[in-house]
Every structure is written in structure tokens, then in C-alpha cells.
């Protein structure tokens, strides 16, 4: 069989037809890749929107940077290039718990240039025990550096032997202390020389530092300030400084080990962010998870704005908000037709932040009913001195709203804690009274008397706004139910006065007669 010849030839045996086929193939491959990527992205977005829980995981790319840390991390990445390379350097990034320290470290790594830095991530929490931390660190360091220069293997092997000999036998170390000190420093200098040859700075990012135990923290300090203080190497970690010092102070009482300052060449504060960033995240997740319509968004915006002081005090960080949402949203969806949103929202802040006070509130030790004021309503006890006092005063104040399903209603109170309606009537059951035939509705009323749930029904009927009824049929059914209850002498208070009110309105507002007739 003869050789393939393309006509007319363009490059060698490749002709115009071949070029067209190749371009077509590349175009098809590009389309398929784009479709697959788009499908994965949309699928992931769908899964994200339907996800019940919000994972408390750190971000890794600027596009997900809710707190606007990226620019600060980018600037720090540039500043690291100016640090003198002859000695090791240790940088501590200080921030309170839950403010996004790991995310900041990830964004810093994102902005570090691979051409100028060798980046090594090390998490001491992954070590089996504290005594393994140094060994695990050096294994991670060696495995990364020997990719750039195979000579690191033997150098590090000798250095580790020197360290191990120094710590293996205290008696032997004492007798030959001078020799072993010289051996360690000599082997360390060999490593320093090898690192200089790389012509790159080595960045060691240590994560979860303030989640370590005291012995583990000390092992990391030994690395930073001693065994791993190689030339051209920069340690970077983020931590809650107060928390670190408290942990160390519980185990080591002397001043030298209590303060972490001496182990870090540079300490800097991760920048603070306005609380509005966190508030906006909370609002966006509420609107998305509850599928709030555009016309209802203003209610949530006003609610969060009005309760800003409570939010700042109790949902301080983005981590707090994520954990609160995981606690709140799932349970709210189970009872959203049976409770007032704001009451349930505030109660769950108590549950999230003050669980003991939440349990005491359930026992009604913070509240009381007032016989004189009546209305089956709960009020705050006087002179409360608890962490959730500001929230309790909102929920059970005299000026707070009072409805059939507000938490300060004695009939609704338990629903907020049981997260279900036990021994009472649901809103759906009572709404159905307007949809079923009158004789079935009358049987339902009779049953509510025998089951001792009539008070629920009376409160429900009394709370209806007749001007909001959508049809004449609904209005007539409403009147028939009131007349039936009144004629059966089940209760003569609420229905009786409601009927009087309706008669009065009919006399005064003839333009509403079309609703009644």
C-alpha cells in the first residue's frame, strides 16, 4: 500500500483538508470539555443550594472570599519577598477564634509565587502523638525539597541522626555533649548550604496551631526556634494568641514558656472586617434557604437591621453564623407554618449561645403570666440577670407583638421547644375548616371540645382578618362557624364579640356588603 499523500500539500504531507479536520476535531473537543465543565458547575451549584448544612470549611480561592481577605493576603505575599534570607524567620498571624485564619492562610498560599517560593503545608494535628511532630515535619520537608535536589536525602538523614542521638540517651548525651552539639550544628550547616543552592525561599505554613494541646505547641516551638530554623526558611502560622498562652500557661507555669512572643520574629493582626459582611452572609443564606420572594425580602432586611446589637453580641464570627444556620434552618422548616419567624430566630440564638438558659426558659423560670393583664400571655420576670436577658426582653416584653403563634402566647409557647404541635391543632387543620363542608366543620368543632383543643380554635378564629378573605364563601363559612360555636354554648366570649363587631362594621360600612351577601 502506498504512502498517504495530501493534495495540495501545505506542510509536508499535511494538506488543507487535514487542517480542516484537525481544527474541527479541536473544536469538538473544546465544546465537549466546555459542556462537561458547565454541567459539573451547574450540578455542584444545585447540590450547594439544596444542601441542608453549611460546612465550616476554609476557602481556598479569592472568588469565595466573603470577608475580603484576599487583597491583604496578596500584599503579605509581596512583603515576604523582601525578608532577608540568611536566617530563618517566623511570622505569627493573630486573630480570634472563628474569624477565618485558615482561609487567610489559604489565600496567602494562593498569591505566593511558585517561581520565588517553595510552599510546604504542615498540620501538626495529623501526627499520631506530640513526640512524632518533629519527625513528621522533617519527612514532609525532605520529601518536598528532594524534588529540587536529590542531595537533600543524605544531608537530612545525617541531620536527623544527630538530633535523635542528642535526645535518645540523656546519660550518653551528657558525656559527649560537646561532640554532639558540634555534630548537630555541622549537619545543620550542610542543609543550610544545600538550601542556598535552591535560590528559592521556603515557606512553611502551619495550620490549626491554636487547636493543639500544650505539649504539641511546645514541639512546634522547638521546630521554629531550633531544629528547623534553617536559612532561607519562613514559618507562617495563624492563631488566637490569648488562647495559645492560656493553654501553655496551664501546663508550664514559668514565664519563659508562657509567652509565645519569643518564638515569632514578626507578629501581625489579620485585618478586622465590618460586621455588615457577616450580616450580609446571614441574610443571603436566609433568603436562599427559605426561598423568600422578592416582595418579602424587606421584612428580613429590617429584622436583621433592628436586631443588629443582638447579632453582634451572639453571632460574632462567620463561623458562628454558619453553625447557627445549621442549627436554626433545618428545625425552622419543620414548623415554619406554626411559629413566628422572628420569635423562633431569636429563641434559637439563645439555644445556640446559652443552651442552659434555653432549657431553663422551657421550664418557664424566666417568665410568668399576669392574671390581671390576661390574654393568655407570658411576660418577663423582673430583674433578670442572665446572658440572654436582652433577647428575653424582646420576646416577652409588654410591647412585643402578640399573636396566635407568638412565643409569648401560652397556647403556642411549647411549640417553639417541641418543634411540633402536640396536644393542639395545627394551623393547617384550622385553615381546612374553610375548605370542607359545614357539617364536617361542625363535627371537627365538636371533636375539638372533647379533645380539649377548642381554645386553639377560638384563638384562631378570633385572629382572622375578615377583610383578607378571598371569597364570599369563605366569609360565610366563617360566620357559620361562629354562630355554631355560640349556639352550642361552647364559648360565648370571643365569637360573641366578634359577631357584634361584624354587625357594627356592616352598619357603618355599607360598601363592604358585597362581601357578606
Amino acid at each position: 500500500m502506498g504512502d498517504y499523500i495530501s493534495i495540495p500539500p501545505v506542510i509536508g504531507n499535511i494538506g488543507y483538508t487535514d487542517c480542516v479536520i484537525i481544527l474541527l476535531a479541536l473544536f469538538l473537543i473544546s465544546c465537549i470539555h466546555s459542556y462537561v465543565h458547565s454541567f459539573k458547575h451547574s450540578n455542584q451549584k444545585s447540590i450547594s443550594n439544596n444542601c441542608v448544612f453549611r460546612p465550616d470549611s476554609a476557602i481556598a480561592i479569592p472568588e469565595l472570599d466573603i470577608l475580603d481577605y484576599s487583597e491583604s493576603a496578596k500584599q503579605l505575599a509581596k512583603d515576604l519577598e523582601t525578608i532577608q534570607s540568611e536566617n530563618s524567620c517566623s511570622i505569627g498571624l493573630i486573630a480570634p477564634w472563628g474569624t477565618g485564619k485558615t482561609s487567610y492562610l489559604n489565600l496567602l498560599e494562593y498569591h505566593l509565587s511558585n517561581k520565588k517560593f517553595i510552599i510546604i503545608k504542615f498540620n501538626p494535628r495529623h501526627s499520631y502523638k506530640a513526640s512524632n511532630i518533629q519527625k513528621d515535619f522533617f519527612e514532609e520537608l525532605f520529601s518536598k525539597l528532594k524534588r529540587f535536589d536529590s542531595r537533600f536525602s543524605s544531608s537530612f538523614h545525617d541531620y536527623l541522626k544527630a538530633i535523635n542521638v542528642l535526645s535518645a540517651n540523656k546519660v550518653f548525651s551528657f558525656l559527649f555533649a560537646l561532640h554532639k552539639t558540634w555534630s548537630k550544628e555541622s549537619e545543620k550547616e550542610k542543609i543550610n548550604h544545600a538550601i542556598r543552592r535552591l535560590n528559592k525561599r521556603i515557606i512553611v505554613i502551619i495550620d490549626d496551631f491554636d487547636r493543639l494541646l500544650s505539649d504539641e505547641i511546645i514541639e512546634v516551638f522547638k521546630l521554629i526556634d531550633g531544629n528547623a530554623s534553617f536559612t532561607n526558611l519562613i514559618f507562617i502560622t495563624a492563631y488566637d494568641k490569648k488562647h495559645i498562652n492560656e493553654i501553655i500557661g496551664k501546663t508550664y507555669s514559668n514565664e519563659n514558656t508562657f509567652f509565645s512572643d519569643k518564638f515569632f520574629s514578626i507578629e501581625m493582626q489579620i485585618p478586622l472586617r465590618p460586621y455588615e459582611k457577616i450580616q450580609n452572609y446571614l441574610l443571603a443564606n436566609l433568603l436562599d434557604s427559605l426561598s423568600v420572594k422578592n416582595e418579602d425580602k424587606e421584612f428580613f432586611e429590617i429584622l436583621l437591621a433592628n436586631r443588629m446589637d443582638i447579632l453582634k453580641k451572639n453571632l460574632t464570627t462567620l463561623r458562628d453564623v454558619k453553625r447557627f444556620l445549621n442549627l436554626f434552618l433545618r428545625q425552622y422548616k419543620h414548623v415554619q407554618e406554626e411559629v413566628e419567624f422572628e420569635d423562633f430566630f431569636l429563641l434559637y440564638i439563645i439555644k445556640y449561645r446559652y443552651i442552659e438558659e434555653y432549657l431553663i426558659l422551657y421550664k418557664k423560670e424566666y417568665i410568668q403570666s399576669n392574671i390581671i393583664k390576661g390574654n393568655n400571655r407570658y411576660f418577663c420576670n423582673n430583674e433578670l440577670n442572665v446572658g440572654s436577658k436582652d433577647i428575653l426582653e424582646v420576646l416577652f416584653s409588654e410591647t412585643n407583638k402578640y399573636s396566635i403563634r407568638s412565643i409569648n402566647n401560652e397556647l403556642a409557647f411549647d411549640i417553639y421547644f417541641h418543634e411540633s404541635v402536640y396536644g393542639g391543632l395545627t394551623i393547617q387543620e384550622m385553615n381546612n375548616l374553610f375548605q370542607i363542608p359545614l357539617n364536617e366543620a361542625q363535627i371537627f368543632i365538636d371533636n375539638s371540645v372533647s379533645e380539649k383543643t377548642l381554645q386553639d380554635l377560638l384563638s384562631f378564629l378570633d385572629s382572622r382578618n375578615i377583610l383578607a378573605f378571598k371569597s364570599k364563601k369563605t366569609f360565610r363559612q366563617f360566620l357559620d362557624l361562629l354562630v355554631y360555636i355560640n349556639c352550642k354554648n361552647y364559648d360565648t366570649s370571643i365569637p360573641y364579640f366578634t359577631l357584634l363587631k361584624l354587625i357594627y362594621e356592616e352598619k357603618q360600612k355599607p360598601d363592604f356588603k358585597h362581601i357578606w351577601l
Side-chain angles (χ1 to χ4, degrees), residues 178-217:
L178 292 176
H179 167 71
K180 297 196 181 298
T181 302
W182 173 85
S183 176
K184 174 186 174 182
E185 294 305 320
S186 174
E187 297 302 329
K188 187 174 184 179
E189 182 53 37
K190 292 179 183 177
I191 296 175
N192 286 337
H193 181 67
I195 290 175
R196 291 188 192 99
R197 290 198 303 263
L198 293 175
N199 200 28
K200 281 189 176 186
R201 303 302 303 270
I202 301 169
I203 302 286
V204 177
I205 298 176
I206 300 178
D207 198 9
D208 287 344
F209 188 57
D210 53 7
R211 295 187 181 185
L212 301 177
L213 302 177
S214 57
D215 289 345
E216 295 170 329
I217 293 172

Side-chain angles (χ1 to χ4, degrees), residues 230-241:
F230 302 117
T231 186
N232 225 0
L233 191 145
I234 302 173
F235 285 97
I236 301 177
T237 188
Y239 52 89
D240 183 331
K241 185 173 182 178

Side-chain angles (χ1 to χ4, degrees), residues 9 44 135 192 255 292 436:
Q44 287 173 355
K135 174 179 175 293
N192 286 337
E255 215 172 89
V292 177
I436 60 179

Side-chain angles (χ1 to χ4, degrees), residues 73 76-77 80 89 91 93 101-112 114 117-126 137 140-141 144 202-209 220 224 233-238 264:
L76 177 57
L80 293 178
C89 176
I91 299 175
L93 303 176
K101 294 186 294 295
T102 299
S103 293
Y104 192 94
L105 290 175
N106 288 345
L107 291 170
L108 174 62
E109 180 188 1
Y110 178 90
H111 290 297
L112 287 170
N114 290 325
F117 298 103
I118 298 172
I119 303 165
I120 297 168
K121 297 188 74 172
F122 178 66
N123 192 326
R125 293 182 71 206
H126 298 163
F137 169 77
E140 183 70 26
L141 181 65
K144 191 70 177 271
I202 301 169
I203 302 286
V204 177
I205 298 176
I206 300 178
D207 198 9
D208 287 344
F209 188 57
V220 175
I224 292 174
L233 191 145
I234 302 173
F235 285 97
I236 301 177
T237 188
F264 294 98

